[in-house]
Amino acid sequence: MSGDDDLPVPGYRLKELDPQILRHPADRAATAALGSIPGIDTIVRRLSEMGYERALRQNLLASAVRLSQQQLPDVYDLHRSAYTTLDLARTPELYLAAFPTSNAVTIGSSDPLVLVHSQLIDQLDAPQQRVVFAHEAAHVLCDHVLYGTVLQIILSMGGSVLNKSLPTALPLMAVKNALLEWSRAAELTSDRVAALVVQDPLLVCRTLLSISAGTAADRLDLGAFLAQADDYGKQSRGLGLRTKLNLELGSTHPLSVRRAHELMAWVKSGDYDRIRDGVYPRRGEEDPDVRAEARAAADHYRERFQGAFKDVAGQAEGAAKTVTDWLNKNLGDR
């Protein structure tokens, strides 16, 4: 399989698609909230300057297999076709690593690469793998990779490193929690993009079902899963902010049922059909509707993200210097 033959419709392209039109309101608000935390950009830049991104990349190169036209070409072509559909000029390198969980991740702030777990390839059929690769390509399209890479760096540090200096570890732990909340919001945007790339929102939901249920997924009913997602949407309206945050605490991804609910709500709004049919702003175009939606999203989600990020934002600008000094002292020689 290669080229246009991998796509749902030969020649289907989302030419110069502006990713801003696709952003879930939670993604908009979380990204804005991260940018408003005093000193967050200093921490992000310092972690990168100290070589942690390079070390993370080198670890992948040493512990995973790079796929290509010579290594699992059928899988590689599913990956490559996502970038063709999204009209992205460059296809990141793809790596396969042995992991007993089904997951994939995109890292590299300036030079992205994609890592996919072997369990995911074993568990999903080719159409579902296409969903996963389209989802990862969405992170590149939507500029999720910088914050996503920093999150992976912090997660890779582990508790023993963070506990070296408890007073300064606490602000960094708060940064980690803020990045986790942002990551869960970014996933909702990437599900939208994946649905557009494969031209089948139900296939995205079927993939979420398969990842959640494991080997039993082929004997499960998608309609019942979507009904469960609808029930979740109705019942979650009555949950408090703290309860909602605790449900996903510590996870880089939202609950699969929630993801299915959010995706289908977007489809029902009509935006999916409109964008799929080519009615969308191009990159670089000004769209007043997008700006208005971004403001509305920030207003709607302000309470949620202020609650999630208050431990960091409350540290003011001194927190960035404290964390940076701690990184220099404890981690600078790594």
Side-chain angles (χ1 to χ4, degrees):
M1 295 185 292
S2 62
D4 288 346
D5 292 338
D6 288 335
L7 302 174
V9 176
Y12 174 62
R13 299 286 189 277
L14 293 162
K15 292 186 177 180
E16 298 183 353
L17 174 64
D18 187 341
Q20 298 303 320
I21 197 67
L22 299 170
R23 290 191 186 274
H24 189 281
D27 183 6
R28 295 181 186 277
T31 301
L34 273 180
S36 71
I37 295 173
I40 187 69
D41 287 340
T42 301
I43 297 171
V44 168
R45 184 175 64 254
R46 193 70 187 104
L47 283 169
S48 179
E49 289 173 352
M50 292 169 65
Y52 276 88
E53 180 178 334
R54 183 172 65 253
L56 191 62
R57 179 183 293 272
Q58 288 174 339
N59 181 59
L60 293 180
L61 291 175
S63 60
V65 175
R66 182 167 57 203
L67 303 189
S68 64
Q69 291 297 333
Q70 289 74 44
Q71 300 276 46
L72 295 183
D74 53 338
V75 174
Y76 179 76
D77 281 345
L78 294 175
H79 161 73
R80 185 178 62 177
S81 69
Y83 296 86
T84 303
T85 301
L86 290 173
D87 196 27
L88 294 173
R90 182 181 176 277
T91 300
E93 292 183 338
L94 175 64
Y95 290 83
L96 178 68
F99 277 98
T101 57
S102 295
N103 196 18
V105 63
T106 301
I107 66 163
S109 56
S110 60
D111 186 17
L113 64 82
V114 178
L115 174 71
V116 60
H117 291 184
S118 57
Q119 175 65 24
L120 188 145
I121 299 300
D122 293 339
Q123 182 178 338
L124 302 182
D125 59 24
Q128 292 174 336
Q129 291 174 28
R130 182 185 291 119
V131 169
V132 171
F133 291 127
H135 178 99
E136 295 306 313
H139 288 314
V140 177
L141 175 71
C142 297
D143 292 326
H144 290 155
V145 186
L146 174 59
Y147 285 144
T149 300
V150 174
L151 174 58
Q152 291 300 318
I153 292 171
I154 293 176
L155 291 175
S156 71
M157 288 178 177
S160 61
V161 175
L162 292 176
N163 288 332
K164 281 187 176 181
S165 178
L166 185 58
T168 27
L170 289 175
L172 188 57
M173 289 293 289
V175 172
K176 183 191 79 168
N177 290 334
L179 286 166
L180 283 169
E181 181 67 10
W182 165 84
S183 176
R184 292 188 289 267
E187 294 298 316
L188 300 177
T189 294
S190 291
D191 286 340
R192 293 178 171 188
V193 178
L196 285 165
V197 170
V198 302
Q199 292 190 285
D200 189 350
L202 293 180
L203 177 57
V204 177
C205 293
R206 167 64 72 181
T207 304
L208 293 171
L209 172 61
S210 296
I211 292 174
S212 296
T215 56
D218 59 349
R219 304 196 303 274
L220 296 176
D221 182 74
L222 178 60
F225 180 68
L226 293 175
Q228 178 185 344
D230 188 57
D231 288 343
Y232 165 84
K234 294 174 182 176
Q235 295 174 15
S236 67
R237 297 188 191 107
L239 297 178
L241 169 65
R242 191 56 54 189
T243 301
K244 291 180 180 179
L245 291 175
N246 287 339
L247 285 173
E248 298 173 336
L249 193 63
S251 174
T252 57
H253 290 64
L255 301 169
S256 291
V257 171
R258 178 190 171 203
R259 291 171 66 179
H261 168 76
E262 295 287 345
L263 176 61
M264 295 312 297
W266 178 67
V267 171
K268 291 173 184 177
S269 75
D271 285 345
Y272 165 78
D273 287 329
R274 177 171 53 81
I275 297 171
R276 180 201 58 193
D277 293 340
V279 182
Y280 54 78
R282 267 54 179 176
R283 296 167 199 162
E285 291 181 354
E286 292 292 330
D287 190 329
D289 290 338
V290 172
R291 294 198 300 272
E293 182 185 341
R295 288 193 296 270
D299 291 342
H300 182 71
Y301 280 81
R302 180 174 292 114
E303 180 183 355
R304 173 182 175 90
F305 288 101
Q306 282 180 345
F309 299 158
K310 66 180 180 181
D311 293 334
V312 182
Q315 299 291 329
E317 294 183 7
K321 184 178 186 304
T322 300
V323 173
T324 301
D325 289 346
W326 176 67
L327 288 170
N328 290 337
K329 178 180 178 180
N330 293 283
L331 308 176
D333 59 347
R334 296 187 67 187

